[in-house]
């Protein structure tokens, strides 16, 4: 892994570039790392034709893990992503993010549209995030992280899921710093999100996808896609928020045509 440094607070962000071709920045969801793109086959499918920038978001994976709530403000997170692009020598990139990564992509597109050629958002939301993690995982999840650690969090989450936590997700979740994740959860809880007007100003080609059983983000995906001019919206049939990333065959079937029709400008 290489490291980029956020110039504003000195936090180091781990990343690596694999493959060749036009750049595509891949940004994972909460409690995961860049390895999720490998685990479910996205890297294998994309690297022959794309230079993939794989990032561990702050607090995750090999990136630094601050325990302060203020360290996870979205404005700071988007600065991390700009720092990665600068460190990798990439002026402009296609962007693909899931969940947290999708939200970060929407924020980055609003903040620095000159760095984004096209935008793919899976299971994302542009709205206020108050209570989002309690709805996504279970009520009081940040408190469980602080008091029972990651193992306690996973055990409690299993009680609220449509499907049991798969082995790959459990392994990645278990490697997290529980205190860092609790701080990130609490920061997200006060995140105001983006205004509808901000999304109406987007000019990059955009694609949204969401699991048909993702009751936490289904309405959000529809709302965002309706706001972004010319955006596509695709439902991944039969999957919820946590299982949609594993549906790589279904997801790639809608993303591949989009990337082909909208080559990097």
């Amino acid at each position: 892994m290489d490291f980029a440094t956020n110039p504003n607070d000195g936090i180091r962000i781990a990343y690596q570039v694999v493959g060749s071709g036009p750049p595509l920045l891949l940004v994972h969801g909460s409690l995961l790392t860049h390895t999720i793109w490998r685990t479910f086959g996205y890297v294998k499918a994309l690297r022959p034709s794309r230079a993939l920038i794989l990032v561990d978001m702050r607090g995750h994976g090999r990136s630094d893990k601050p325990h302060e709530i203020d360290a996870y403000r979205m404005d700071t997170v988007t600065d991390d992503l700009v720092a990665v692009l600068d460190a990798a020598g990439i002026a402009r990139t296609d962007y693909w993010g899931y969940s947290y990564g999708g939200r970060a992509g929407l924020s980055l597109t609003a903040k620095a549209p000159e760095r984004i050629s096209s935008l793919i958002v899976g299971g994302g939301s542009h709205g206020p995030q108050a209570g989002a993690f309690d709805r996504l995982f279970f009520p009081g999840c940040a408190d469980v992280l602080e008091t029972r650690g990651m193992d306690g969090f996973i055990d409690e989450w299993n009680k609220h899921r449509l499907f049991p936590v798969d082995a790959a997700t459990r392994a990645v979740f278990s490697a997290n710093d529980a205190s860092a994740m609790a701080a990130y959860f609490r920061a997200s809880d006060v995140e105001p999100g983006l205004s509808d007007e901000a999304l109406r100003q987007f000019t990059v080609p955009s694609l949204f996808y969401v699991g048909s059983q993702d009751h936490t983000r289904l309405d959000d995906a529809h709302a965002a896609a309706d706001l972004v001019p010319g955006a596509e919206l695709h439902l991944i049939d039969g999957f919820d928020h946590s299982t949609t990333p594993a549906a790589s065959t279904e997801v790639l079937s809608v993303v591949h045509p989009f990337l082909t029709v909208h080559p990097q400008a």
Side-chain angles (χ1 to χ4, degrees):
M1 299 291 286
D2 293 313
F3 291 88
T5 300
N6 186 316
N8 298 315
D9 63 3
I11 294 297
R12 298 190 317 152
I13 304 301
Y15 76 96
Q16 65 179 170
V17 181
V18 299
S20 61
L24 174 59
L25 179 59
L26 295 174
V27 186
H28 61 81
S30 301
L31 298 167
L32 300 173
T33 73
H34 77 280
T35 60
I36 205 72
W37 299 102
R38 295 183 184 276
T39 299
F40 294 127
Y42 295 96
V43 170
K44 181 179 180 180
L46 295 166
R47 68 180 296 169
S49 59
R50 289 283 177 156
L52 306 176
I53 309 112
L54 304 167
V55 178
D56 284 347
M57 297 288 264
R58 64 170 51 210
H60 299 73
R62 297 187 184 180
S63 293
D64 288 347
K65 300 171 178 61
H67 290 178
E68 298 77 25
I69 295 173
D70 284 348
Y72 295 93
R73 291 183 297 108
M74 183 53 69
D75 191 55
T76 302
V77 169
T78 54
D79 286 343
D80 290 345
L81 297 174
V82 170
V84 167
L85 294 178
D86 288 346
I90 296 170
R92 188 174 174 86
T93 184
D94 295 311
Y95 184 106
W96 182 353
Y98 187 77
S99 192
Y100 179 32
R103 181 156 51 96
L106 291 166
S107 297
L108 180 59
T109 302
K111 181 178 182 177
E114 73 280 0
R115 306 303 296 264
I116 304 299
S117 298
S118 68
L119 176 66
I120 301 168
V121 175
S125 172
H126 73 289
Q129 296 300 299
F133 281 115
D134 282 357
R135 293 189 295 271
L136 180 59
F137 293 110
F138 54 88
C141 56
D143 294 334
V144 171
L145 275 171
E146 288 184 336
T147 59
R148 296 169 53 193
M150 286 306 309
D151 287 341
F153 174 90
I154 294 170
D155 289 343
E156 191 65 29
W157 184 33
N158 248 332
K159 301 175 185 177
H160 295 80
R161 283 172 54 91
L162 182 64
F163 305 105
V165 177
D166 62 89
T169 301
R170 177 179 283 275
V172 174
F173 274 39
S174 295
N176 279 299
D177 180 317
S179 295
M181 291 298 93
Y184 157 56
F185 278 24
R186 297 198 190 284
S188 296
D189 204 45
V190 296
E191 175 65 42
L194 293 171
S195 68
D196 289 357
E197 185 57 30
L199 267 64
R200 292 190 184 101
Q201 299 303 312
F202 282 16
T203 58
V204 300
S206 301
L207 179 147
F208 294 81
Y209 68 91
V210 63
S212 65
Q213 302 304 307
D214 185 354
H215 302 301
T216 62
R217 293 289 165 79
L218 195 58
D219 290 345
D220 291 346
H222 277 281
D226 285 345
L227 291 165
V228 174
E232 299 180 23
L233 174 64
H234 298 271
L235 298 185
I236 308 302
D237 191 46
F239 293 88
D240 65 6
H241 192 76
S242 299
T243 57
T244 293
S248 54
T249 299
E250 293 85 350
V251 172
L252 286 166
S253 73
V254 299
V255 170
H256 265 314
F258 175 81
L259 290 173
T260 301
V261 171
H262 300 290
Q264 187 184 29

